Amino acid sequence: MAFMKKLLPILWVFLAYYYYSANEEFKPEMLQGKKVIVTGASKGIGKEMAYHLAKMGAHVMVTARSEEALKKIVAECLEYGAASAHYIAGTMEDMTFAERFVARAGKILGGLDMLILNHITSATMEPFVGDIPLVRKSMEVNYISYVVLSMAALPMLKQSNGSIVIVSSMAGKMASPLVAPYSASKFALDGFFSSIRQEYSVTKVNVSITLCILGLINTDSAMKAVDGILSTEASPKEDCALEIIKGGALRQEEVYYGKLGWSNLLLRNPGRIFLEFLSLRSYNMERFINN
C-alpha cells in the first residue's frame, strides 16, 4: 500500500506530461521540398494524402497496383503544385518488388524524408471459418511488406532524420468481430513498430515512427465492406489524410482519427504506456548503444 502511494503521484505526473505536453504547431511549409513516398495511393486515403502533399509543395512518389490510376494521380499532383510527382506500379504481395521499389524511389527522388505506408489487401466482413490463405495474405501484405519497406528505407531516413508513418486501425487496438485476419495484421503493426520506436529512442536513431489509429473512413472500399453490417458514422477521407500527414510531420507517436468519442482516450491505454516506460529500465541497452 505504501508503495502504491509513492507510485501514484509519479504515474499522474507521467500521464499529465504525455497527454497535455504541447505539440509543435503544424505548418504546411514543413512538407515543402520534402521527399515523400505514399503506398496504396491509387484511391481513398492514399490518393488524398498525395493531393495534400502536392499542394504543400512536396516531391511525391506514389505506388499501387493500378498503373492507369497512378498516371492520373501524378498528373493531378503536378497541377496541384507538387515539386515533382512520380509513380511506380506494383503489388505489395511481392516482397521483392517492395524492396526494389524503395531503392528505385530513392534514386528518383534523390533521398527520402517520409515513408507513409497505407496499403492493405482487400477483405470482406464475415466470420472467420478457417481461411488460412486469407490470414497469410493479410499478414504478408498488411504487415510483413510494411517491415520490408521500412527497413529498405531506413538508411535514407537516417540520413534525413526522417519519418515512418504507419496507417493502422481501431481493429489493431481492440478486438473486432468479422475482420479477424485484418485485425491480426494491424495488431502486428503496433507490436513491431512500437517496439522498434523504443529501440530507436534508446539507440539514438533519429527516425520517428507514427502509428495512425483510424476509425471508419468514408472510402469507397470501406463503405462497401460495412454496408448493412456496421452502423458507425464514417469520417471524411480528405480530413483523415491531412491528419495523418500532420502526425508524421510533427513526429507524433500516435494519431487517432475518426468518430471515436471516448474511444480516443481509452485506446491510448495509459497503463500500457506507463508499464513500457518502467520495463525499459530493466534492459541493459548499453551494449547495443556501444555497438
Side-chain angles (χ1 to χ4, degrees), residues 273-287:
I273 295 163
F274 188 61
L275 286 172
E276 287 174 352
F277 171 75
L278 290 179
S279 68
L280 196 57
R281 298 159 64 93
S282 304
Y283 289 87
N284 176 18
M285 300 297 287
E286 290 298 321
R287 59 179 294 188

Side-chain angles (χ1 to χ4, degrees), residues 22-290:
N23 287 318
E24 180 185 359
E25 183 184 354
F26 173 77
K27 299 175 183 176
E29 307 89 77
M30 291 177 173
L31 277 301
Q32 189 170 9
K34 297 297 184 182
K35 301 158 185 175
V36 185
I37 287 174
V38 182
T39 70
S42 63
K43 57 185 178 181
I45 298 168
K47 181 173 75 171
E48 297 303 327
M49 284 193 285
Y51 291 161
H52 281 301
L53 290 164
K55 293 171 184 176
M56 295 172 191
H59 296 274
V60 183
M61 169 65 74
V62 292
T63 186
R65 289 173 296 179
S66 173
E67 185 168 8
E68 201 61 38
L70 291 174
K71 284 181 180 178
K72 182 179 178 183
I73 289 164
V74 163
E76 291 173 336
C77 282
L78 292 171
E79 290 178 8
Y80 286 140
S84 69
H86 317 269
Y87 78 88
I88 300 173
T91 174
M92 293 303 170
E93 295 177 34
D94 181 351
M95 300 305 148
T96 301
F97 165 77
E99 195 166 3
R100 289 177 178 172
F101 160 71
V102 173
R104 265 186 78 191
K107 286 182 180 179
I108 292 170
L109 294 172
L112 185 63
D113 296 295
M114 184 179 289
L115 175 67
I116 304 178
L117 301 177
N118 168 69
H119 59 279
I120 58 170
T121 189
S122 59
T124 56
M125 294 188 72
E126 57 188 6
F128 183 68
V129 291
D131 189 348
I132 304 305
L134 176 59
V135 174
R136 184 176 292 113
K137 183 178 180 182
S138 297
M139 293 300 290
E140 287 178 349
V141 176
N142 299 356
Y143 166 57
I144 295 175
S145 71
Y146 280 49
V147 176
V148 171
L149 289 159
S150 58
M151 292 304 101
L154 188 58
M156 290 185 287
L157 293 171
K158 283 182 177 180
Q159 289 182 353
S160 64
N161 294 330
S163 304
I164 300 171
V165 181
I166 307 297
V167 178
S168 188
S169 164
M170 282 181 66
K173 284 285 189 179
M174 56 181 280
S176 304
L178 308 181
V179 290
Y182 171 82
S183 181
S185 67
K186 294 300 186 180
F187 267 95
L189 290 176
D190 188 1
F192 180 82
F193 285 100
S194 295
S195 294
I196 64 168
R197 185 194 294 117
Q198 283 197 339
E199 293 176 10
Y200 289 177
S201 175
V202 172
T203 56
K204 310 303 181 186
V205 175
N206 193 16
V207 174
S208 66
I209 297 175
T210 300
L211 186 68
C212 302
I213 314 303
L214 308 183
L216 181 62
I217 309 300
N218 67 350
T219 63
D220 292 342
S221 56
M223 291 296 92
K224 181 179 178 181
V226 304
D227 185 36
I229 300 173
L230 190 63
S231 59
T232 301
E233 185 180 355
S235 299
K237 56 183 179 289
E238 298 84 1
D239 293 347
C240 176
L242 182 57
E243 291 305 310
I244 292 169
I245 293 168
K246 286 181 180 179
L250 295 173
R251 304 174 79 84
Q252 295 174 348
E253 290 191 1
E254 292 187 338
V255 170
Y256 289 80
Y257 180 79
K259 307 290 184 181
L260 303 178
W262 278 97
S263 302
N264 188 343
L265 178 63
L266 296 173
L267 287 173
R268 290 178 185 269
N269 197 344
R272 167 183 156 172
I273 295 163
F274 188 61
L275 286 172
E276 287 174 352
F277 171 75
L278 290 179
S279 68
L280 196 57
R281 298 159 64 93
S282 304
Y283 289 87
N284 176 18
M285 300 297 287
E286 290 298 321
R287 59 179 294 188
F288 303 105
I289 296 171
N290 294 335

Side-chain angles (χ1 to χ4, degrees), residues 12-22:
W12 283 116
V13 169
F14 176 82
L15 293 178
Y17 172 80
Y18 181 83
Y19 284 114
Y20 299 113
S21 56

